[in-house]
Amino acid sequence: MELLKQRVKEEGRILPGNIVKVDGFLNHRIDTKLMREIAKEFKRRFDTSEVTIVLTAEAATLTMGSRGERVALIQQRLKEWGDYTGKVDGVFGRGTYNAVVRFQRRNGLDADGIVGEATRRVLFSAEAKPNA
């Protein structure tokens, strides 16, 4: 993992909340040598565990009309916090929008119904306030 450490130091950016953004070389542009090294390390660390998926944070903004796996992850997390009661279908519709706004209000975020960096950071943190 020395190669990964080096790349994070060289290309990573520190964002508010002590988040290191590395999507320039892990999500958007794939470095095959780096990916091989990461795969070896994941195998070493997780081969004997029950971990089956490793998620990376996606920096793209999700809004009404967005679709896909990222939306489904947001819906599932909103469901876990008690804000979303609909089907986890990967479609950012009115129900998802309303759940995002409720979550944002309760957690002191700009209640715009858009899942950007700030909302995503709180949504996937242990500090989020659950829906009572």
Side-chain angles (χ1 to χ4, degrees):
M1 292 309 285
E2 289 305 312
L3 181 57
L4 178 59
K5 288 179 191 176
Q6 177 187 342
R7 293 292 295 272
V8 169
K9 286 179 184 177
E10 291 173 1
E11 298 180 45
R13 288 189 2 226
I14 305 294
L15 301 175
N18 290 327
I19 294 173
V20 179
K21 185 173 181 172
V22 294
D23 63 343
F25 63 91
L26 286 179
N27 288 341
H28 299 251
R29 184 182 78 227
I30 302 297
D31 178 320
T32 56
K33 181 179 177 188
L34 178 61
M35 287 281 112
R36 281 192 295 275
E37 293 298 317
I38 291 172
K40 287 178 195 173
E41 183 65 15
F42 280 6
K43 181 173 177 19
R44 186 186 71 76
R45 288 180 186 238
F46 303 118
D47 204 30
T48 60
S49 78
E50 294 184 26
V51 173
T52 58
I53 297 173
V54 176
L55 298 176
T56 61
E58 178 60 53
T61 300
L62 299 173
T63 60
M64 189 88 107
S66 295
R67 294 174 172 269
E69 185 178 341
R70 292 178 298 149
V71 174
L73 290 170
I74 297 298
Q75 290 171 326
Q76 182 59 44
R77 192 64 172 166
L78 287 165
K79 194 176 272 275
E80 291 166 8
W81 288 119
D83 292 294
Y84 184 67
T85 58
K87 181 181 175 190
V88 175
D89 59 4
V91 178
F92 198 129
R94 178 62 57 191
T96 303
Y97 173 86
N98 290 336
V100 169
V101 168
R102 276 191 298 276
F103 178 84
Q104 289 170 325
R105 283 188 182 134
R106 189 175 62 255
N107 286 279
L109 299 163
D110 185 19
D112 58 7
I114 296 170
V115 180
E117 247 179 85
T119 298
R120 185 177 294 103
R121 182 173 47 249
V122 176
L123 188 62
F124 288 94
S125 77
E127 288 78 40
K129 297 173 187 163
N131 192 356

